[in-house]
């Protein structure tokens, strides 16, 4: 395959390990329909303007470009970037190959179009469980350039309207609790994230956020760690910074080490 391409399996493993990867969908506009699926965290860009929109990207970070089949469109964009020193690779097989491999995809939502500028999200101050899980999900799977703001509950909707942002996890927001479901569940549904690992993680978040630790054995531990992070963080953004690795670790454990246990006991002296 050579260095020019990256396989779907390799990219999937890197994403599960929370490696910094920027993914750009460069399918021609006619190839994107209302029901089109996208790779997690990918943003659409026009391949003919590659050198314009790539300005400002790190030349050290891994950049992956995908088109429909991994043919000429993504290869053109990849070649342009590589010629200028970017660590760019074309996704072998394109989005079709990714889907055929059974890997997770994201649907389209009017809340955050894949071709839009960085999205803005507003929620209540003092995040702990759900209000850290949602930004993590958005940053990792929906919009890696997303910006988050925190405000007192009574002003969240007004601020979202003024900033043309998206309010979440607050009364009256589109992304909010729905019966027994948390805002994390609502996000998964809104963006049609068909990842079974995220569905497992949603149960853990729901248990920790709603006081139903019996929903998942990890729920009580998640609650304890996130409450600790809320004390350690000097600002709400500090709490996000501390909390994202926790959700990265939970996702990696569920995806890569779901059946692994740890039961080491010290050796006994039988002499």
């Amino acid at each position: 395959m050579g260095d020019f391409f990256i396989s779907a399996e390799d990219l999937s493993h890197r994403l599960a390990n929370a490696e910094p990867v920027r993914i750009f969908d460069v399918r021609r506009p006619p190839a994107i329909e209302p029901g089109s699926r996208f790779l997690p965290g990918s943003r659409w860009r026009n391949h003919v303007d590659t050198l314009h929109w790539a300005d400002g990207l790190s030349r050290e970070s891994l950049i992956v470009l995908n088109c429909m089949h991994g043919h000429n469109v993504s290869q053109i964009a990849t070649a342009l970037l590589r010629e200028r020193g970017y660590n760019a690779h074309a996704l072998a097989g394109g989005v079709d190959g990714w889907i055929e491999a059974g890997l997770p995809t994201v649907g389209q939502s009017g809340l955050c179009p894949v071709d839009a500028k960085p999205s803005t999200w507003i929620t209540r101050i003092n995040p702990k469980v759900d209000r850290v899980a949602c930004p993590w999900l958005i940053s990792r799977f929906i919009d890696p350039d997303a910006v988050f703001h925190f405000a007192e509950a009574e002003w969240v909707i007004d601020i979202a309207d003024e900033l043309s942002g998206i309010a979440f996890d607050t009364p009256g927001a589109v992304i909010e609790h729905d019966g027994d479901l948390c805002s994390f569940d609502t996000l998964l549904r809104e963006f049609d994230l068909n990842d079974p690992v995220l569905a497992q993680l949603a149960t853990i978040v729901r248990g920790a956020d709603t006081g139903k630790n019996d929903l998942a054995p990890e729920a009580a531990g998640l609650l304890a760690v996130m409450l600790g992070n809320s004390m350690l963080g000097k600002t709400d953004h500090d709490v996000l910074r501390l909390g994202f690795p926790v959700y990265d670790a939970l996702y990696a454990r569920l995806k890569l080490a779901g059946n692994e246990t740890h039961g080491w006991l010290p050796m006994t002296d039988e002499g």
Side-chain angles (χ1 to χ4, degrees), residues 39-121:
L39 270 65
S42 66
R43 308 298 287 164
W44 181 85
R45 296 292 184 267
N46 195 323
H47 76 288
V48 300
D49 294 328
T50 298
L51 297 182
H52 175 70
W53 56 255
D55 186 38
L57 292 175
S58 169
R59 281 177 164 75
E60 285 72 39
S61 298
L62 175 62
I63 301 171
V64 176
L65 302 108
N66 75 266
C67 57
M68 185 69 77
H69 308 294
H71 294 165
N72 57 313
V73 179
S74 60
Q75 292 185 40
I76 289 171
T78 301
L80 287 170
L81 292 179
R82 290 169 69 92
E83 288 168 3
R84 284 154 180 80
Y86 290 93
N87 182 20
H89 305 263
L91 178 65
V95 69
D96 276 359
W98 181 273
I99 292 173
E100 288 173 6
L103 296 169
T105 55
V106 184
Q108 299 184 66
S109 169
L111 290 181
C112 181
V114 294
D115 60 346
K117 63 182 181 180
S119 55
T120 301
W121 301 74

Side-chain angles (χ1 to χ4, degrees), residues 200-256:
Q200 289 179 270
L201 183 54
T203 302
I204 299 171
V205 171
R206 200 180 314 131
D209 194 57
T210 63
K212 298 178 180 178
N213 290 333
D214 57 319
L215 289 180
E218 301 89 347
L222 175 61
L223 176 60
V225 170
M226 300 312 290
L227 289 176
N229 280 347
S230 72
M231 297 295 102
L232 292 174
K234 293 180 173 60
T235 68
D236 292 332
H237 285 92
D238 280 342
V239 177
L240 295 190
R241 177 181 55 81
L242 293 168
F244 278 21
V246 176
Y247 287 106
D248 285 337
L250 273 173
Y251 184 85
R253 183 258 172 181
L254 293 169
K255 188 175 182 69
L256 305 175

Side-chain angles (χ1 to χ4, degrees), residues 67-173:
C67 57
M68 185 69 77
H69 308 294
H71 294 165
N72 57 313
V73 179
S74 60
Q75 292 185 40
I76 289 171
T78 301
L80 287 170
L81 292 179
R82 290 169 69 92
E83 288 168 3
R84 284 154 180 80
Y86 290 93
N87 182 20
H89 305 263
L91 178 65
V95 69
D96 276 359
W98 181 273
I99 292 173
E100 288 173 6
L103 296 169
T105 55
V106 184
Q108 299 184 66
S109 169
L111 290 181
C112 181
V114 294
D115 60 346
K117 63 182 181 180
S119 55
T120 301
W121 301 74
I122 301 91
T123 190
R124 295 175 287 125
I125 58 175
N126 301 322
K128 293 180 176 65
V129 179
D130 204 11
R131 275 168 289 137
V132 179
C134 287
W136 172 83
L137 182 66
I138 293 162
S139 297
R140 296 289 190 264
F141 290 83
I142 298 171
D143 180 5
D145 297 316
V147 176
F148 300 96
H149 298 297
F150 299 88
E152 292 183 343
E154 63 182 305
W155 302 112
V156 169
I157 300 296
D158 288 343
I159 293 173
D161 290 341
E162 187 168 350
L163 297 179
S164 298
I166 307 161
F168 69 98
D169 200 49
T170 199

